[in-house]
Amino acid sequence: MVIIDGKKVANEIIQKIKQQTKELSSYDITPGLAVILVGDDTASRTYVNMKSERCKDVGIYSIVHEMPSSISQQKILDTINMMNQNENIDGILVQLPLPKHIDQNKILEAIKPSKDVDGFHPFNMGRLVANIDGFLPATPYGIMELFKRYDIELKGKNVCIVGASNIVGKPLASLMLNQFATVDICHIYTNDLKSHTLKADIVCVGAGVINLITEDMIKDETVVIDIGINKNKNGKLVGDVDFKNLSKKCSYITPVPGGVGPMTIAMLLKNTIKAAKINKGIK
Ligand code: GUN
């Protein structure tokens, strides 16, 4: 059994990004990422802080625009419009979730597709489904990179994705389908989850439920990708799979922390460099 070291792979990618920002600085270009954080959700704030710290580490200029949860939708749209026009900003990211009174789709659609480093705009989502180059959402992109680095073949494999969000499950399914895997997407209304996970060669889980996937739910030599981030009752960070028991049975497994999480940030930075190159007309 191999424990997939997402932290190591992410660090390798980050070192490459550092070199690229150095090269861009010779053209007098500093890539810029603007993050909009609405409300005071603790987890969202932690993620945003991690993203902007990493930006600074690699030489990407980053600003965080904080707004109270009572903010109007129009004020967020106005801010995005300003960022769309600001030449110093190459990437725009609106941290999700947004407060209930805000129409998330309207907000995401307001982001200029060439600055949509999260890949959540329907323009980029459509390109992803059609297998045309665009911005890929960071978490699925990071998972695909792990498959590549660990030589995990997808063609002809049975995949079970647990969790059907626009952020992870749906784009991941499209990316894997584009690599000719056969994909089941399961969600809270799926009858008999175990019947799906048991026939899978690769199980990817991002449902936010501790120990959702247990040893009896996978076959021998399965590849297990844990996308969950939960705090258990002792305050420890854990994923969605019973790591201790599954790791005895599977061929590859991602740990939490240190698996998919670090890859998400690395791929966001990679997208920001790509956006800077597109927006500044560099090949
Ligand atoms: N909330 C949870 N994951 C993400 C993400 O990848 N991007 C944004 N913008 N919000 C999120």
Side-chain angles (χ1 to χ4, degrees), residues 47 51 93-97 118 120 138-139 167 264:
Y47 296 141
K51 288 171 187 175
L93 182 158
V94 179
Q95 187 63 32
L96 304 177
D118 249 339
F120 296 161
T139 301
I167 294 179
T264 296

Side-chain angles (χ1 to χ4, degrees), residues 143-266:
I143 294 168
M144 296 305 284
E145 194 62 30
L146 289 176
F147 290 139
K148 215 193 265 174
R149 303 264 175 152
Y150 280 82
D151 272 330
I152 296 168
E153 175 71 86
L154 298 175
K155 196 188 281 180
K157 294 291 167 67
N158 289 330
V159 175
C160 177
I161 296 174
V162 185
S165 70
N166 287 347
I167 294 179
V168 181
K170 287 188 213 167
L172 180 61
S174 290
L175 287 168
M176 294 178 92
L177 178 60
N178 288 342
Q179 297 299 317
F180 305 105
T182 302
V183 185
D184 277 4
I185 313 175
C186 300
H187 45 76
I188 44 171
Y189 296 109
T190 296
N191 291 318
D192 194 6
L193 175 63
K194 187 173 168 179
S195 69
H196 293 270
T197 56
L198 261 183
K199 46 172 205 187
D201 305 304
I202 303 172
V203 174
C204 305
V205 200
V209 180
I210 296 176
N211 284 341
L212 179 65
I213 307 298
T214 47
E215 188 190 358
D216 56 306
M217 293 172 75
I218 63 158
K219 58 179 183 168
D220 284 339
E221 299 296 306
T222 302
V223 175
V224 177
I225 305 293
D226 193 346
I227 315 158
I229 305 177
N230 312 291
K231 260 195 187 153
N232 72 9
K233 54 182 189 299
N234 303 320
K236 202 177 142 223
L237 218 55
V238 295
D240 286 357
V241 314
D242 177 3
F243 183 88
K244 194 164 153 242
N245 291 311
L246 253 76
S247 54
K248 293 177 198 149
K249 207 171 174 184
C250 61
S251 56
Y252 293 87
I253 190 164
T254 59
V256 177
V260 173
M263 291 299 291
T264 296
I265 297 192

Side-chain angles (χ1 to χ4, degrees), residues 269-283:
L269 302 180
K270 196 167 170 181
N271 278 346
T272 306
I273 301 292
K274 178 174 174 166
K277 287 183 175 169
I278 292 171
N279 293 322
K280 305 291 187 318
I282 291 177
K283 285 264 160 70

